[in-house]
Amino acid sequence: MDKKLTILDLLPVTAPGILSPEMKSDMGRFLPDGTDIRHVQIEEGSVTIECEYDEAFSAPQVIKLAMAEAEKGGVDGVFVNCFGDPGVRAVREVLKVPVFGGFEPAIYLALGLGDTVGIVTVLRNVVPMIRGAIARAGLEGRVTSLRTLDMPVLELADRGKLMENLYTECRRAVEEDGVSVLVMGCTGIVGVNDDMMGRLRADGYDVPVLEAAQCAVALTELYARMGLYQSRQTYMPPPEK
């Protein structure tokens, strides 16, 4: 019998009620039966993460909460629920379980589905953060489009506006930027992939659409099931001081 795993979903923001029942259901949509998700949220930090300042302000709380939850036991992997990956590299240094934010898993999976990847995110403020992540990963030649919805995170609950803006930017990314795979550049954009792929197919574009939270939870679970975690040649434990 396969071991039952628990993935920690760590919200790096303080906005109350931001994790809706729909978001919980959507992020675990592709997990195998028996895998649990434990949801926790920082109590101090930024309300949402929409710039470098927000990310830096919340990262220390992310590290503290991840370590505290790991000490309780029963954590097989950690998903820091933000496309900006706040505190992810630091948490990797202190925990021996797979740790991901929202950026890497969706991009890694997208790279196997097409030559050019486009990201659609929330605000222009987020663009420099994502460009930095693309550069650090050495993927400038593959991630070729970065578009925004001009919607802050807290407005994503406006489903009508979200889908209208998202469809416009996804179609532009395909038509104008030559994108072959689309990635949602915010873990708060959930429950859209089937609808968006259907709309694009109706326009003649058979293009995969990946949601960041789904990809992150699924890849974290896979690494945990394989018994893998980050290399200690890259993520060395902090020296004692």
Side-chain angles (χ1 to χ4, degrees):
M1 181 180 296
D2 290 340
K3 175 187 175 184
K4 291 187 177 181
L5 301 177
T6 297
I7 305 302
L8 185 70
D9 168 35
L10 194 161
L11 273 75
V13 297
T14 61
I18 195 167
L19 187 63
S20 66
E22 292 77 15
M23 292 177 68
K24 290 181 180 179
S25 174
D26 197 66
M27 74 172 63
R29 178 180 171 190
F30 300 112
L31 290 180
D33 293 340
T35 297
D36 295 324
I37 304 180
R38 183 196 305 172
H39 306 281
V40 295
Q41 186 171 8
I42 62 173
E43 296 181 355
E44 298 179 20
S46 297
V47 175
T48 59
I49 293 179
E50 295 168 337
C51 62
E52 297 279 3
Y53 174 85
D54 291 341
E55 181 181 344
F57 194 47
S58 291
Q61 304 306 318
V62 169
I63 299 165
K64 291 179 182 178
L65 184 54
M67 293 175 65
E69 290 295 320
E71 288 175 2
K72 293 178 183 178
V75 173
D76 299 295
V78 176
F79 165 43
V80 179
N81 196 334
C82 176
F83 202 76
D85 296 354
V88 166
R89 294 183 67 87
V91 175
R92 285 174 173 171
E93 292 182 346
V94 296
L95 297 188
K96 284 190 174 183
V97 297
V99 179
F100 281 108
F103 173 79
E104 291 172 311
I107 296 298
Y108 294 163
L109 293 175
L111 291 172
L113 298 173
D115 288 338
T116 53
V117 178
I119 299 173
V120 181
T121 190
V122 284
L123 296 170
R124 290 177 59 195
N125 303 60
V126 183
V127 169
M129 297 169 56
I130 296 178
R131 290 201 187 282
I134 294 167
R136 285 191 296 273
L139 295 173
E140 296 98 325
R142 297 290 303 278
V143 184
T144 58
S145 174
L146 184 50
R147 290 182 168 271
T148 61
L149 302 174
D150 293 325
M151 293 179 67
V153 172
L154 294 180
E155 283 189 12
L156 295 177
D158 184 341
R159 188 72 178 181
K161 183 178 180 180
L162 169 62
M163 296 307 292
E164 180 181 351
N165 290 8
L166 192 59
Y167 169 69
T168 297
E169 295 307 323
C170 285
R171 178 161 177 159
R172 285 176 176 170
V174 175
E175 289 183 338
E176 299 174 18
D177 304 339
V179 161
S180 53
V181 186
L182 288 159
V183 168
M184 303 297 94
C186 175
T187 57
I189 302 176
V190 298
V192 303
N193 49 2
D194 291 341
D195 187 349
M196 200 53 52
M197 286 189 288
R199 294 192 191 194
L200 291 171
R201 287 192 192 109
D203 294 334
Y205 304 115
D206 196 356
V207 175
V209 176
L210 302 180
E211 295 179 16
Q214 284 179 350
C215 294
V217 169
L219 190 58
T220 302
E221 196 273 346
L222 176 62
Y223 276 23
R225 192 164 298 281
M226 295 174 67
L228 300 173
Y229 59 88
Q230 45 278 350
S231 170
R232 286 306 183 222
Q233 293 299 107
T234 297
Y235 299 99
M236 302 179 189
E240 294 185 8
K241 297 179 183 178

